[in-house]
Amino acid sequence: MTQTRADRLRRRCGFDGNPLRRRVDRVQWRVGLLLLLVFLVVAPIACAHAVRSVHTAGVRAERYEAATRHRVEATVVGVRPLESGRDVSVVWTGPEGAMRTGHYTSWKATRLGERRELWAGPHGGLGETGPRKHVRTIGDDASAGAATTAVTGLPLLTLYLLVRRRCDRCRYRRWEDEWADFDRRSRSA
C-alpha cells in the first residue's frame, strides 16, 4: 500500500519514463522543478538574513528600554476623552525627588486622583507597558521569517503559474489540432 502511494506520487511529480508525456509537459515539469530548487536555495538565505536583522534590532531595543525606562507611581490629575481612548495627565515624583508632570493615551477607564503604575522613558515619555520583553522579539523574528518566506515564494509561484498557463494553452491547442486531424482522417476513410 505504501509503495503504491509513493509510486503514484513519483509518477504525479513527473519522475517516470512515460512515452505519452508531451514536450510541453516535460517543459512545465522542468520549469517547476527549477523554480522549486531556486526557492529552496534562496528562501533560507533570505529568511536567515531577515530574522538575524530583526532579532538584533529587537535585542538592542530590549536592552535600551530596560536601561532607560523606570517604573513610577503617578497620580491622575486630568482626563480628556479622545476619539479613541483618553488623554490622561499625571504627576509623579522623579528619581531625583522633583515633581514631574506628563500625559499619555490610555484605553482603560481612569478617574481623577487615581494612582497608576506607569513606565517613564528617558525623554519624559509615559506608558502603561514596561520595557520590551524577549517574547515580543521572538514573535517579531517568527513574523519576519514567515513574511520573508512568502515574499520570496510568491514571485516564483506567480512565474510558475504563468508558465503553466502558457503550457496549458499550448497543450489545449495541440489537443484541438489532434482532434481536428482525427476528424479529417475519419471522414476520409
Side-chain angles (χ1 to χ4, degrees):
M1 183 75 126
T2 314
Q3 183 64 26
T4 307
R5 285 183 187 161
D7 202 37
R8 195 176 322 142
L9 179 63
R10 178 183 60 82
R11 284 192 312 271
R12 187 177 294 152
C13 290
F15 292 108
D16 63 350
N18 188 344
L20 296 177
R21 286 199 193 275
R22 296 182 179 155
R23 182 177 182 278
V24 70
D25 297 328
R26 288 187 182 94
V27 166
Q28 179 182 339
W29 179 80
R30 286 180 182 137
V31 168
L33 185 62
L34 176 68
L35 292 174
L36 177 64
L37 290 174
V38 167
F39 175 75
L40 292 176
V41 169
V42 171
I45 294 168
C47 190
H49 178 67
V51 168
R52 186 177 337 112
S53 298
V54 169
H55 186 75
T56 302
V59 168
R60 191 178 313 122
E62 285 175 36
R63 290 178 182 155
Y64 175 77
E65 289 182 10
T68 59
R69 287 188 171 200
H70 60 280
R71 183 175 280 168
V72 296
E73 183 79 24
T75 304
V76 176
V77 293
V79 179
R80 186 173 54 95
L82 300 171
E83 273 187 44
S84 177
R86 298 159 188 79
D87 183 43
V88 180
S89 299
V90 293
V91 295
W92 74 95
T93 305
E96 66 282 346
M99 287 299 287
R100 295 181 161 239
T101 61
H103 60 91
Y104 68 99
T105 303
S106 177
W107 288 268
K108 296 178 183 176
T110 307
R111 298 183 318 268
L112 290 175
E114 185 178 348
R115 305 276 297 164
R116 284 282 172 99
E117 281 192 2
L118 301 174
W119 291 86
H123 304 293
L126 289 172
E128 294 176 331
T129 59
R132 180 183 176 109
K133 296 191 180 341
H134 191 64
V135 169
R136 180 175 168 196
T137 301
I138 297 300
D140 290 350
D141 295 347
S143 298
T148 303
T149 301
V151 166
T152 304
L154 279 176
L156 298 173
L157 178 63
T158 302
L159 182 60
Y160 175 74
L161 292 175
L162 291 172
V163 167
R164 180 178 173 173
R165 183 177 178 199
R166 176 91 168 126
C167 289
D168 284 345
R169 272 199 242 141
C170 182
R171 198 177 289 118
Y172 295 146
R173 188 174 50 246
R174 295 220 25 212
W175 180 257
E176 291 295 324
D177 291 345
E178 288 174 9
W179 272 111
D181 185 44
F182 177 75
D183 193 37
R184 272 192 305 276
R185 281 188 283 146
S186 64
R187 286 185 188 172
S188 65

